[in-house]
Amino acid sequence: MRHIQRRIALLALPALVGSILVATGPAGADPTGPSAATSRSQPEDRESVRLVQIRLTGADMLDKVAAAGFDLEHGLRRVPTGIEGEAVVTAEQVTELTAMGVEVLADDAGFAWSDQADGGIGVDAAGARAVEPSNHQATVRIARADWFTTKGQGFLYVEARTTEGQQADPIVGMQVENDSGKGTPFGFARTMSRFVDSGQYMFHRNLFKLDTRPTRIQVTSSTGGVTTGVVSNWLENAPPPLTANPSYKSDFVDGYKHPQQLYSRAKEIARQYPDIAEIVYLPNQTNGYQRKAQAQLGGTGQAAVVVTSAAWGHEGGNDITVEFVDRPDANLPLAVEVTGKAVRVLLATDAAGAPASTATQVADALRTRSAGLIDRAHPYRTNEGSGIVAPTAGPVALTDFLDQKRFGAPEGEVPRGPATIPVLRIGKHRDGKKPGVLIQAQDHAREWVPATTSLESAERLVHNYRSDRETKKIVENTDIFFILSNNPDGANYSFYNFASQRKNMTNHCPDASADPAQRNSWGVDLNRNYRVGSGHDGYAGGSTNCVSGTYQGPEELSEPESKNIIWLVEKYSNIKFMMSVHSNGGQLFWQPGAYIADGRITTPRPPLGDEAFYWQSAARILSQVKAHRETVVTPENVGGSSDVLYSSAGNVREDLYYTYGIYAFGWEVGGSVYNPATGNWQGGSFQPEWTGNPELVSGHAETMEYANGIMEMFRVAADWGKDKKDPTSRLIPGDGKYRGPVDVRFETSEPATIYYTTDGSRPTLESPRYAATEFREPGQVFHVTETTTFRWFSVDSAGNIEKNYDPTKTDKRNNYRTATITIAKK
């Protein structure tokens, strides 16, 4: 049986139960914010906000700050004291953040890994050694020990765990040493940083500079555990990039592109190359780059009234005026006059002839007696509206605030109505028989580099198809779908009105958050609007606050942009790979992407075979990124996104992986680049200068290097589609007689999932799966104390089954693998 359908259920992995085998794993808030958060200050226009560097104590504070409506950058990173990142804020909001316990840092006060030797827990670097215990007894394990170079500088990254890591009093410390090459002693002791997330111990880790590549490291716990491990290369032995061909064409994108330019070029590509390209139109139109016209009259006190037009601003709302009129006579009732688009509210008077209408009364009158011109009218935010409304100096014009001329855009360049998103489909055989790859860019509006990176990749495909052999293989063996901007409304708003816009332009806010000063915070975070591990199910990282940067929407798949993705993968079931391209964190990640904060309960982790395939693919992709200018995405920034970044409830990757079995990656392009001149890592931004320093932060350089990575992802998919070779596996050590208990583990020839039994039954797809010892670690080790027969088979990422075994049928061959570990009786 070949190419078995890969189904991933949202269930816990099978547990190993029994007395014969003992696994060697270690022993052992819902995102909310203040309900009054909608009344806090908001950024009002493009010039009034700035980026500040902040430090939060951990994931719980991150959730609270995001739920309160603060706009946090993607460039968040874990540090030993919590989480550091940037926030888009006004000066007033800096004060609010400080009041919430957030530390606002000076520009140079961010965390940097120490590269200095440290006495730490007092281990003699050249002295005491300990024999490494067998795995089932180990209190210390090394998960990763990676060596890489960038811009002429070497770095060593280490992750290690202690089974006593959750112990907080006293906190267990760990120290790492390394040799200086084969046969040299350990030395250079450094204290490792303890990583705790949502109250749970994750691991200890460190990144530090070295001038000489070590071959081994030693990690020591403050409680006495010691282990050693081999150092591996990270992104060091990549094959030549596609661009190595002297005739290869690249560098097509000459600057940032707004959605109209992206879509126009996609359609032109389909017209120019009809034999390999076409346009697929997504069925659900967006809300559109449009707003209702508004005015706020009477300040912000109890007498303030917020007015919103029924029509879109460009369809007549911007022509409406509202005037509050004083009348000299006494005891007059409140009245409303409408002449064309002019609305006059004739204020009521008391016995003395003074105005007597409250804000609530005026708002009610505007809603019910404005001849349909006014859709919403209400007191300001959470006010009761008990104040007496004052007359205006004259008519007040409503506006949708979409003033493109203010930011240099020609009038009419951005269409105001709902948008239909085109998908550029490239492939020689677009019949559903080749593995499909979906590239989805710009879910988040302010992220401009993902769009140019995706367009550059599309250009390379069509321009090199006839002249470059590797590109020809890609086009003829894959079916590629490009969504160059999945959030055109928000992207236009980012280009022309508010550069830091993250969400779309659909306003789900109630009256308390619907005044014009909050307009830059309306919208839905499209990457929190999906169905698996969502905030609606209690997972952290999605907000119910409509002005939060991570607002998840009123329900799952409430937005046309997210509905379109589901429509696409259901219509084109050959889509087996997906890359959601974001910026600017410098990460590459996959599942799990979300967790329930209380207990840090993640969505199910992928089987060990899928996890290994993700890591293998990531190494290929990131090696091609490095080939452009030696930019390295470090190992600490690769893996399950909830492990390397934070919990992002309701993200697209998990929906596609768990629901449809699609290998779904998330990519934060950009991020930190090592600067040899200063010896530090320099961070990026959402809209870096296009032609900035080509060795550091530059929109052009990021576009070129990450297009390299996307091209390699296409090669990964092409190789996957052509894979007809069965995996092989073995039990180490294998069949044999042993004088006492023995530790055994499985090994595979390629990334593959192993299903096994130890009770004499034939293995099936319902049998236990061979699992990792712990996340980000290799496979578990079984401590066998009695004679045991293992029966198993392996399935690779392409669905090929070892020895062509069919686990769904019983036949006489029973050609699964088997090995008996015989323990001699004493």
Side-chain angles (χ1 to χ4, degrees):
M1 179 180 180
R2 310 186 68 84
H3 291 283
I4 188 169
Q5 178 65 36
R6 185 169 59 92
R7 295 189 296 269
I8 306 298
L10 196 59
L11 301 171
L13 300 182
L16 178 63
V17 180
S19 60
I20 296 178
L21 304 177
V22 179
T24 63
D30 184 27
T32 58
S35 59
T38 54
S39 65
R40 69 172 186 81
S41 61
Q42 292 288 333
E44 294 202 10
D45 58 44
R46 195 172 188 173
E47 289 80 21
S48 67
V49 298
R50 63 189 178 97
L51 295 179
V52 297
Q53 189 174 4
I54 60 173
R55 180 181 294 143
L56 307 103
T57 55
D60 291 344
M61 180 177 284
L62 173 64
D63 287 342
K64 291 176 182 177
V65 171
F70 284 95
D71 189 1
L72 302 180
E73 296 286 271
H74 259 165
L76 298 174
R77 63 171 178 166
R78 299 284 183 177
V79 300
T81 54
I83 299 173
E84 286 186 1
E86 292 178 325
V88 181
V89 291
T90 63
E92 183 179 353
Q93 290 166 7
V94 171
T95 302
E96 296 175 34
L97 281 171
T98 303
M100 295 178 69
V102 177
E103 183 180 358
V104 178
L105 305 174
D107 290 342
D108 59 351
F111 171 75
W113 292 107
S114 171
D115 59 359
Q116 301 299 316
D118 190 313
I121 54 179
V123 177
D124 181 356
R129 297 287 177 264
V131 176
E132 181 180 355
S134 57
N135 284 1
H136 65 94
Q137 297 171 336
T139 59
V140 176
R141 296 193 309 274
I142 296 171
R144 302 193 65 85
D146 293 310
W147 166 262
F148 66 87
T149 61
T150 178
K151 309 295 178 64
Q153 177 62 57
F155 288 87
L156 176 66
Y157 175 69
V158 179
E159 286 177 13
R161 281 191 179 86
T162 169
T163 56
E164 300 171 321
Q166 199 63 33
Q167 181 179 327
D169 189 19
I171 292 176
V172 176
M174 295 180 74
Q175 190 174 73
V176 61
E177 302 171 75
N178 59 270
D179 63 17
S180 298
K182 188 174 182 180
T184 60
F186 290 117
F188 315 103
R190 291 169 168 86
T191 299
M192 297 182 68
S193 300
R194 184 170 177 260
F195 178 16
V196 176
D197 183 35
S198 197
Q200 299 297 309
Y201 169 72
M202 303 287 283
F203 39 74
H204 283 72
R205 63 181 181 180
N206 218 34
L207 174 70
F208 50 90
K209 298 177 188 176
L210 286 178
D211 293 329
T212 303
R213 186 196 188 285
T215 59
R216 294 180 66 81
I217 63 167
Q218 177 173 270
V219 177
T220 307
S221 165
S222 59
T223 58
V226 180
T227 191
T228 61
V230 176
V231 176
S232 301
N233 287 330
W234 175 243
L235 314 184
E236 287 302 299
N237 298 312
L242 270 68
T243 53
N245 180 350
S247 65
Y248 188 85
K249 303 179 185 70
S250 62
D251 204 354
F252 295 98
V253 182
D254 58 2
Y256 293 119
K257 308 295 181 184
H258 57 61
Q260 292 70 242
Q261 294 170 319
L262 294 167
Y263 296 166
S264 176
R265 181 55 191 151
K267 295 171 187 176
E268 181 65 11
I269 287 173
R271 187 192 67 78
Q272 288 179 305
Y273 304 92
D275 58 328
I276 59 171
E278 64 179 306
I279 294 294
V280 174
Y281 288 100
L282 296 176
N284 300 289
Q285 287 192 313
T286 68
N287 172 79
Y289 174 74
Q290 55 188 7
R291 286 249 171 93
K292 301 296 180 71
Q294 291 188 303
Q296 184 173 314
L297 299 89
T300 61
Q302 289 293 339
V305 178
V306 178
V307 181
T308 304
S309 66
W312 297 107
H314 67 287
E315 293 180 344
N318 289 336
D319 301 325
I320 297 171
T321 62
V322 174
E323 183 179 8
F324 297 163
V325 181
D326 187 16
R327 294 181 287 174
D329 297 331
N331 297 318
L332 294 177
L334 179 65
V336 178
E337 292 180 349
V338 179
T339 304
K341 296 293 183 69
V343 180
R344 299 177 79 238
V345 179
L346 309 179
L347 299 173
T349 59
D350 60 16
S357 298
T358 66
T360 296
Q361 291 168 340
V362 169
D364 289 343
L366 283 168
R367 282 197 308 273
T368 58
R369 290 186 264 174
S370 63
L373 294 177
I374 303 302
D375 180 43
R376 298 170 70 172
H378 50 85
Y380 176 77
R381 301 197 181 180
T382 57
N383 290 351
E384 295 178 357
S386 57
I388 301 301
V389 172
T392 59
V396 177
L398 275 62
T399 176
D400 61 9
F401 296 96
L402 300 179
D403 184 4
Q404 296 171 42
K405 288 183 179 179
R406 182 182 176 200
F407 300 108
E411 187 64 32
E413 182 172 21
V414 183
R416 292 295 180 90
T420 298
I421 298 176
V423 181
L424 176 59
R425 186 182 187 188
I426 297 177
K428 181 63 176 177
H429 308 288
R430 303 183 302 279
D431 54 6
K433 295 180 181 179
K434 299 296 182 180
V437 184
L438 171 59
I439 303 297
Q440 176 209 45
Q442 210 170 38
D443 250 2
H444 294 150
R446 62 194 175 198
E447 298 166 9
W448 295 359
V449 176
T452 55
T453 297
S454 301
L455 178 59
E456 172 70 19
S457 303
E459 297 280 12
R460 292 184 185 184
L461 289 174
V462 296
H463 283 91
N464 291 293
Y465 170 61
R466 301 191 186 284
S467 59
D468 180 72
R469 182 174 61 181
E470 289 298 319
T471 304
K472 188 178 184 68
K473 289 179 182 178
I474 290 172
V475 174
E476 295 193 344
N477 290 287
T478 59
D479 189 2
I480 299 167
F481 299 79
F482 286 98
I483 301 178
L484 298 176
S485 176
N486 195 47
N487 184 3
D489 304 341
N492 278 319
Y493 196 67
S494 176
F495 264 84
Y496 298 115
N497 302 98
F498 179 62
S500 294
Q501 177 75 6
R502 172 182 169 94
K503 302 179 287 182
N504 70 4
M505 287 184 67
T506 307
N507 180 10
H508 293 289
C509 282
D511 291 349
S513 300
D515 55 272
Q518 306 219 57
R519 65 186 182 277
N520 291 337
S521 296
W522 296 334
V524 174
D525 183 343
L526 299 177
N527 204 34
R528 300 295 186 275
N529 194 231
Y530 290 85
R531 302 167 296 182
V532 175
S534 79
H536 299 280
D537 296 325
Y539 285 80
S543 176
T544 58
N545 184 347
C546 70
V547 294
S548 167
T550 56
Y551 176 53
Q552 62 198 13
E555 60 186 18
E556 296 166 353
L557 297 183
S558 63
E559 304 309 293
E561 297 91 342
S562 53
K563 290 176 182 175
N564 279 335
I565 301 300
I566 300 304
W567 176 87
L568 190 68
V569 299
E570 289 186 347
K571 181 175 177 63
Y572 300 99
S573 58
N574 64 314
I575 295 177
K576 302 299 181 185
F577 293 83
M578 185 264 193
M579 179 79 81
S580 180
V581 190
H582 292 260
S583 69
N584 63 331
Q587 291 110 4
L588 181 59
F589 43 69
W590 48 85
Q591 302 76 40
Y595 54 72
I596 297 171
D598 186 9
R600 201 181 184 280
I601 303 169
T602 69
T603 50
R605 294 186 178 277
L608 186 58
D610 279 6
E611 181 84 6
F613 180 70
Y614 271 125
W615 276 104
Q616 181 188 76
S617 301
R620 289 181 57 175
I621 292 167
L622 296 177
S623 292
Q624 296 305 318
V625 172
K626 183 182 179 185
H628 181 72
R629 56 168 186 163
E630 290 197 81
T631 295
V632 172
V633 175
T634 60
E636 67 182 299
N637 288 316
V638 180
S641 64
S642 64
D643 301 332
V644 304
L645 194 57
Y646 46 70
S647 178
S648 52
N651 68 77
V652 63
R653 305 179 308 278
E654 298 208 284
D655 204 328
L656 298 197
Y657 177 77
Y658 293 116
T659 307
Y660 303 102
I662 295 170
Y663 286 110
F665 293 82
W667 204 354
E668 291 271 351
V669 307
S672 296
V673 179
Y674 181 69
N675 184 348
T678 64
N680 297 319
W681 293 81
Q682 180 174 328
S685 66
F686 291 127
Q687 299 140 21
E689 184 179 350
W690 180 256
T691 55
N693 186 334
E695 293 302 315
L696 297 175
V697 179
S698 161
H700 174 262
E702 290 180 5
T703 294
M704 296 304 119
E705 65 191 354
Y706 284 99
N708 279 7
I710 289 179
M711 296 297 292
E712 185 63 23
M713 183 176 179
F714 298 152
R715 295 176 67 180
V716 168
D719 291 344
W720 181 90
K722 294 184 293 182
D723 182 7
K724 302 296 187 293
K725 184 179 180 180
D726 294 346
T728 60
S729 61
R730 58 178 180 157
L731 192 68
I732 300 176
D735 277 305
K737 295 182 179 180
Y738 302 89
R739 295 182 178 180
V742 63
D743 293 340
V744 301
R745 59 184 174 84
F746 287 110
E747 183 179 89
T748 59
S749 59
E750 60 176 296
T753 298
I754 290 177
Y755 297 83
Y756 69 94
T757 66
T758 58
D759 61 1
S761 63
R762 64 188 303 272
T764 70
L765 293 171
E766 304 304 318
S767 299
R769 286 192 300 232
Y770 184 53
T773 303
E774 183 58 273
F775 68 93
R776 297 174 70 83
E777 290 192 29
Q780 62 196 125
V781 176
F782 303 118
H783 187 55
V784 182
T785 60
E786 298 180 10
T787 297
T788 304
T789 297
F790 289 82
R791 293 177 170 86
W792 77 92
F793 65 93
S794 61
V795 185
D796 69 14
S797 60
N800 299 306
I801 301 182
E802 187 171 10
K803 298 179 68 175
N804 206 29
Y805 172 63
D806 188 344
T808 66
K809 299 178 181 178
T810 301
D811 58 33
K812 295 181 179 179
R813 293 184 302 164
N814 280 334
N815 57 332
Y816 46 75
R817 299 295 309 279
T818 182
T820 299
I821 306 296
T822 302
I823 306 299
K825 295 182 178 180
K826 295 181 179 179

